[in-house]
Amino acid sequence: MDEKRVDAGELFELSVYSELPENDSIRLLRLNHGAGTDGLHGQLIVCELSGAPPYEALSYVWGDGAANGHLKCDGKDLPITRNLITALCRLRLISMDRLLWIDQLCINQNNLRERGSQVNMMRSIFKSAKTVLVWLGLDHEQEAEHAKSLITAIIPLVSEDGEDDGIEKMMHFPTDKSLIEHGLPPRDHPEWDALVHLTRLPYFKRVWVIQEVSVASKVLMLWGETEFDMLWFRSAISWASRNNCAFSTDVESAEDSKPGLDAAPFMVVNRPSGSLLQLLERTEACQASDPRDKVYALLGLVDTHLSEVIPLPEADYTRPLVRVYCDTTRYIISFTQSLEVLCYNVHPARSEEALPSWMPRFDQGIIDPWRLYGEHEACGSTIATVRETDDEQHLLLEGVRIDEVDCAEIVLMEDEPPDTMSEAWKLALDRLGDSRSVNSLFKDFIFVMTGGTMIDDLSAPILASDTLLFEFIDYQISRLLQALKKLSTKHSTKCLKVMLEMAETAASMLHTIDGVSGIHYKQFLSRQRQEIVYQLAQYHPNVASTMNEELANRLENLWIDNDWRRFSISFANAGEFRRFFITKKQSMGIGPRAMKSGDIICVLFGGRTPFVLRPRPNSDHYVFIGECYIHGWMHGEAIEKWEQGKLQNEYFTLD
């Protein structure tokens, strides 16, 4: 076939399109029959969706957007992308025509108004199709039959009630013995590689396919010449995930390892639904060539009973990206009466960009906000309200100002060693140690390092400070043991001493917490842990020269508890690449990397965490920097003071 390369922007200049007569009108492609090297021919027919003849809808990936061939449509050449050429050649029947809906051909892509209108109908178009055909691409490595064979072998292990005939649970890919006992091929069989490669095909990364597959009544997957039912694929990969087949096949050594199943298909096959914000969270890793489609592709998945409360935005490709994302953010705030969506805007110090600072970049990925790791309620019972402004790129919000940032010098976990937590503790002692007892300051400091939460309980803040101290002791001991083995090149004596002093401070506080009985103490600090703390204290005066590898190994053998991992994970979730800061009113917190001295801390109505704002010079407007954790202000304290008349409400214009 002759290839004619056409730029994406010129894709449909050779137009065969006339204006669609009705709001619910669609076009269908009648793909003419043919075989082999016959050219691709077809006709476009116009009909109302409600009265359309039976048709199939194609779900596929456009590719790089370049047209490498053409379809002779109604006597004219329509340039089409390479991947669509291969799909049409695969779908074309030998002896009869086939009726298809294909976005690239059935929508006039140069007519932005029509494009938006048809996208708003996408859910109905795919739901009305008798079959949705998923084109995964050519099977270059001849793996499709291997993957299908493995899927077929897994299906008998899947029970309708969800109680699988499962493999013994292990935190690695199952052994050959376990696989063979369940009628599956061994680990090194090509079928496992084929299934892995299937899950890594570009199709599963595309955000649009989630809706296209989710609403369909029947889905047939085609990979090269092989085809299989989406229901089988969904069941097989779900079973594989539940039985550790999504793990690496490495059991004994990294040299043996193979990659596990990619996570991308799980979003496609599991039919996600929920609010628009929930869908944006879940599809964060999905891709779209047009960044506006990160929103538009999800509109048809929003729970219908939710969209009835406040009408959803509609797809409109005449609107620029900034307008789409600003309108989406305002909609989410109005719908949720919360500023939760702003917590996903991690400010990357992009003040040089002509973009609203408060606008989340849904196309660039989002970082989990702290509200996911605890039930913070800084705003009390207040709700967020979207107020009218004279500029659509401004956001006007009500709230109270609580403090100003005095110093924000340390970025946590940025470059270790040195140990950034130890550096932050030294700064806290230097700035706040004269006005507070060490124990009181230290307890608050540890809460700050975890954002007030622990990973083992995602729904509630830590209230038992003794538990937090025990976990911290474990964490510090593990860090010390790691540091001791790299003492000569990685850690200074001074750094080790600070780490040790922090562990000792936590240990000493265990005896001072109200209500901790001897029995309760032993539940958390075994003889082994007491021995470690004792040994550390013995060698504290000369830690660098005395704590040699032999002692480190001895302590490591004594230390048998793994609770330190919970503190480590909580610290990483809350603090990674965020700044430790101290305010002018001597509060501690952690906040966005972009924050700096002079920024203000506010509790905005409807915001479950406080926010960092930066006053613009010679203006009453502010730059939105991001959410923060500030100890003592996370549970409605600011709102209580406002209701008592001790703080004044203000209106903050963000731009």
Side-chain angles (χ1 to χ4, degrees), residues 113-176:
R113 194 168 300 281
E114 178 186 306
R115 186 175 160 198
S117 175
Q118 291 286 290
V119 163
N120 289 325
M121 296 172 61
M122 199 81 84
R123 176 187 176 92
S124 298
I125 290 171
F126 277 85
K127 188 174 183 179
S128 300
K130 65 177 183 179
T131 305
V132 170
L133 304 169
V134 169
W135 174 242
L136 298 173
L138 295 174
D139 178 20
H140 295 290
E141 304 299 326
Q142 305 300 307
E143 295 181 299
E145 284 299 325
H146 282 307
K148 182 177 181 179
S149 176
L150 181 55
I151 289 170
T152 304
I154 290 175
I155 291 303
L157 304 177
V158 181
S159 171
E160 291 183 2
D161 61 7
E163 293 295 328
D164 297 335
D165 181 3
I167 291 174
E168 181 182 356
K169 296 296 184 287
M170 296 171 286
M171 290 304 292
H172 54 69
F173 200 91
T175 62
D176 286 349

Side-chain angles (χ1 to χ4, degrees), residues 258-306:
K258 293 182 181 179
L261 303 181
D262 196 282
F266 293 92
M267 179 54 61
V268 177
V269 303
N270 287 336
R271 299 184 175 182
S273 63
S275 70
L276 183 54
L277 180 57
Q278 290 170 331
L279 291 168
L280 285 165
E281 293 174 9
R282 296 168 188 166
T283 60
E284 179 234 343
C286 296
Q287 300 169 358
S289 55
D290 186 330
R292 291 171 291 190
D293 285 337
K294 288 288 285 187
V295 173
Y296 291 162
L298 302 177
L299 298 179
L301 293 172
V302 176
D303 284 345
T304 53
H305 73 280
L306 297 178

Side-chain angles (χ1 to χ4, degrees), residues 523-535:
Q523 290 176 342
F524 291 94
L525 194 63
S526 64
R527 287 185 178 180
Q528 287 85 355
R529 293 196 210 171
Q530 293 180 53
E531 175 67 14
I532 291 172
V533 174
Y534 170 77
Q535 293 287 354

Side-chain angles (χ1 to χ4, degrees), residues 370 410-413 419-425 428 442-454 462 468 472 475-476 502 566-576 578-581 588-591 629 631:
W370 285 312
I410 298 171
V411 179
L412 298 171
M413 303 183 73
D419 182 67
T420 51
M421 185 190 294
S422 299
E423 294 295 316
W425 172 238
F442 185 78
K443 185 169 69 173
D444 290 350
F445 175 82
I446 297 303
F447 270 86
V448 169
M449 290 297 103
T450 61
T453 61
M454 283 290 273
I462 295 176
L468 180 60
F472 174 74
Y475 171 76
Q476 280 298 83
M502 294 172 73
R566 293 192 296 178
F567 184 92
S568 177
I569 294 171
S570 297
F571 176 40
N573 285 333
E576 187 169 19
R578 291 183 168 105
R579 288 191 183 274
F580 172 74
F581 67 86
M588 293 181 291
I590 47 180
Y629 176 92
H631 197 64

